[in-house]
Amino acid sequence: MVPALDARDATSKGSVESCFTASSYSVGIDPAFMFATVLLFGLNSRQQMAWLYEMGGIEKLNRLLYDKHDVLCFPLISTGAQMGGWFRKEIKSPEDLKGLKFRIGGLAGQVFQRLGAIPQQIAAGDIYPSLERGTIDAAEWIGPHDDEKLGLYKVAPYYYYPGWWEGTGILSLFVNKQKFAELPPAYRSILQTAAAATTSLGLARYDALNPPALRRLVAGGAQLRPFPQSVLDVCYDETQKMHEEYSRADPVYGEIFREMAAFRQDAYQWLQLSEYAFDSYQIRRLRR
């Protein structure tokens, strides 16, 4: 009905009544649109959903941000933590990012650009031929289950992790504000409840499908590589500078960023004693 990246704008204008898309596709309109999808170097999936549902994140985003664009935003699926992407050559130091033509968008693309890379926004169907021809040097998509479908390991064998710009990935249901108001109260409740259920079920599905997909990718030739610590460090530092710059320029961005960052700090105080401690022991034990 409309180009994929224009779905939210079409919903704002009333051309369509609702759409399923990533809020982060609209960062060109307002960088704060990133927050409903992810906080770069921010919250993991559990934390993001806790902030959205229990810490008033959905209400805050709708009140401070989406209301002025005539839409309401509700989480509709969580992908879990994403991978860092497929690279034609190894990344050994921050110097290797300079001149790198990388299929990546949103605020993460801005961070890579600051570090000398050349971000590219390319539709899913064009990623494989672009890598094959050398038009781009690397591309990120989602994770093993979705990446496997694109066959990128055949033309860019180095599969990097973690996708620090997407410690989670929330895709959203956008509804035209006037059309939502016209719904009977029970229908509004059904819509929001169904969206919340779909978000949790989507994450469960990714957690079930990613492990076997990763095994198949490695068997097919994918070479797993962690981003070097030096690369993660410069990306982290540049990301924090960007957050601070946008916070000074826009009070709404600053308010949401500070709230999410504070919640991240609190959440990790608990998670390091619970899931992190439990998972770390289990992983070490099972590798014996």
Side-chain angles (χ1 to χ4, degrees):
M1 298 174 69
V2 297
L5 299 182
D6 296 338
R8 195 277 313 159
D9 186 58
T11 307
S12 292
K13 294 175 179 176
S15 303
V16 295
E17 296 179 1
S18 64
C19 71
F20 170 51
T21 190
S23 178
S24 56
Y25 288 162
S26 295
V27 294
I29 302 298
D30 188 329
F33 269 88
M34 196 78 194
F35 292 127
T37 302
V38 66
L39 171 66
L40 275 65
F41 274 115
L43 309 180
N44 64 25
S45 298
R46 292 270 300 277
Q47 294 166 339
Q48 180 83 352
M49 287 202 281
W51 181 77
L52 287 167
Y53 288 111
E54 294 295 327
M55 301 299 293
I58 296 173
E59 292 79 6
K60 175 160 284 192
L61 288 170
N62 281 326
R63 176 170 50 85
L64 295 181
L65 182 61
Y66 299 116
D67 183 75
K68 59 187 176 185
H69 294 278
D70 295 316
V71 289
L72 295 172
C73 177
F74 305 104
L76 193 56
I77 195 168
S78 173
T79 66
Q82 298 191 13
M83 290 291 282
W86 299 90
F87 292 72
R88 293 172 48 141
K89 63 178 183 179
E90 290 187 84
I91 302 298
K92 298 180 179 180
S93 74
E95 290 297 313
D96 293 328
L97 299 178
K98 293 180 179 178
L100 185 83
K101 298 185 291 293
F102 190 11
R103 186 272 173 199
I104 189 171
L107 299 188
Q110 295 182 27
V111 173
F112 276 104
Q113 187 172 33
R114 290 166 175 239
L115 297 172
I118 305 169
Q120 310 278 319
Q121 185 64 63
I122 299 174
D126 296 326
I127 295 176
Y128 186 99
S130 296
L131 280 169
E132 187 176 38
R133 293 193 301 265
T135 307
I136 58 175
D137 304 307
E140 63 89 30
W141 186 229
I142 298 175
H145 172 65
D146 290 304
D147 291 5
E148 183 183 29
K149 300 173 187 177
L150 300 183
L152 303 182
Y153 66 93
K154 300 175 184 177
V155 288
Y158 299 107
Y159 198 21
Y160 273 88
Y161 64 90
W164 53 261
W165 53 93
E166 286 177 311
T168 185
I170 301 287
L171 303 178
S172 299
L173 170 68
F174 283 95
V175 184
N176 180 272
K177 187 172 68 173
Q178 179 180 340
K179 292 298 182 181
F180 185 79
E182 292 173 2
L183 290 174
Y187 281 32
R188 284 182 238 153
S189 179
I190 290 170
L191 183 148
Q192 292 178 74
T193 301
T198 304
T199 304
S200 297
L201 291 171
L203 180 59
R205 186 168 175 79
Y206 271 113
D207 282 344
L209 295 178
N210 276 328
L214 182 60
R215 289 194 294 271
R216 290 192 297 269
L217 286 169
V218 171
Q223 299 185 44
L224 290 174
R225 294 287 189 276
F227 280 122
Q229 185 71 39
S230 60
V231 171
L232 290 175
D233 286 344
V234 297
C235 289
Y236 182 91
D237 292 342
E238 201 61 48
T239 298
Q240 302 316 306
K241 291 178 186 176
M242 183 191 68
H243 283 319
E244 293 300 332
E245 289 170 12
Y246 278 130
S247 294
R248 288 193 296 269
D250 178 16
V252 170
Y253 188 104
E255 180 177 344
I256 298 172
F257 167 66
R258 287 189 294 271
E259 183 175 306
M260 294 181 79
F263 178 68
R264 176 188 57 190
Q265 185 72 18
D266 285 345
Y268 274 130
Q269 290 180 3
W270 161 241
L271 289 180
Q272 68 181 329
L273 303 179
S274 54
E275 271 82 356
Y276 180 77
F278 176 73
D279 291 344
S280 296
Y281 173 79
Q282 292 269 82
I283 291 169
R284 292 193 306 269
R285 184 76 187 195
L286 292 172
R287 283 179 176 174
R288 289 183 181 179

